[in-house]
Amino acid sequence: MEGMSREDFRVIDRCLMIRLPEEIDHHGAGMICENADKFLVREEVCNVVFDFEKTRFMDSSGIGIIMGRYRKIACFGGRVYAIHVDRQIRRIFQLSGLNKIVEVLES
């Protein structure tokens, strides 16, 4: 899990907070999904918050990470949020349609 550690996954007030790495590509996507899903199963999580503060690059595997967690949490009425979204990531959200399922919170 290059650029990520266990501290990048925390549960605060039943929200799974995921601090994403500088680059999100297919190499790290599997590890992010695997760790996130462990928390979704083990903890009583209602929502997922993706923190893009360090992220400078995201390819389609990043879209897959978010879509997959959305599908899992939406079954239970949960929501997906994104924070610290820069212009480039916001554009990816718009082009991919993620902006329809992920609420971007302004910081």
Side-chain angles (χ1 to χ4, degrees), residues 53-86:
E53 186 171 24
K54 296 190 294 186
T55 307
R56 298 295 159 251
F57 172 81
M58 180 172 86
D59 67 11
S60 61
S61 58
I63 296 166
I65 292 168
I66 297 167
M67 290 292 295
R69 288 346 90 207
Y70 169 77
R71 280 192 214 103
K72 289 180 191 260
I73 202 89
C75 296
F76 307 104
R79 310 246 345 242
V80 176
Y81 299 94
I83 58 175
H84 302 123
V85 178
D86 69 14

Side-chain angles (χ1 to χ4, degrees), residues 4 15 27 34 38 42 44 47 52 67 79 88:
M4 292 192 78
C15 284
H27 293 295
E34 194 177 302
K38 281 182 194 171
R42 274 198 319 236
E44 286 189 32
N47 300 303
F52 286 90
M67 290 292 295
R79 310 246 345 242
Q88 184 178 350

